[in-house]
Amino acid sequence: MNLTLNGEAIITKTSNLAALLEEQGYGEAKVATAVNGALAPASFRGETQLKDGDAIEVVAPMQGG
């Protein structure tokens, strides 16, 4: 399946967001995720099915003042 991850085209065989994050090296990282612009909460990543052409954004929280 063809996806866009943080603006980069990727090809994957994974079918859900949790598996994609694991495959891409995010594993247990504390990140925020969105699929096609809609927030994808961590508790629903295993249930969030991906489709060909989806755009996924993964953002790590930043600290600062």
Side-chain angles (χ1 to χ4, degrees), residues 32-48:
T33 54
V35 178
N36 299 323
L39 180 65
S43 59
F44 292 105
R45 289 178 185 158
E47 301 168 17
T48 302

Side-chain angles (χ1 to χ4, degrees), residues 3-20:
L3 302 173
T4 303
L5 177 63
N6 291 344
E8 299 289 327
I10 64 168
I11 297 174
T12 184
K13 292 184 180 189
T14 61
S15 61
N16 68 59
L17 183 57
L20 179 70

Side-chain angles (χ1 to χ4, degrees), residues 25-56:
Y26 291 100
E28 297 296 317
K30 301 290 184 193
V31 294
T33 54
V35 178
N36 299 323
L39 180 65
S43 59
F44 292 105
R45 289 178 185 158
E47 301 168 17
T48 302
Q49 296 299 305
L50 300 174
K51 301 180 304 296
D52 194 51
D54 280 349
I56 294 91

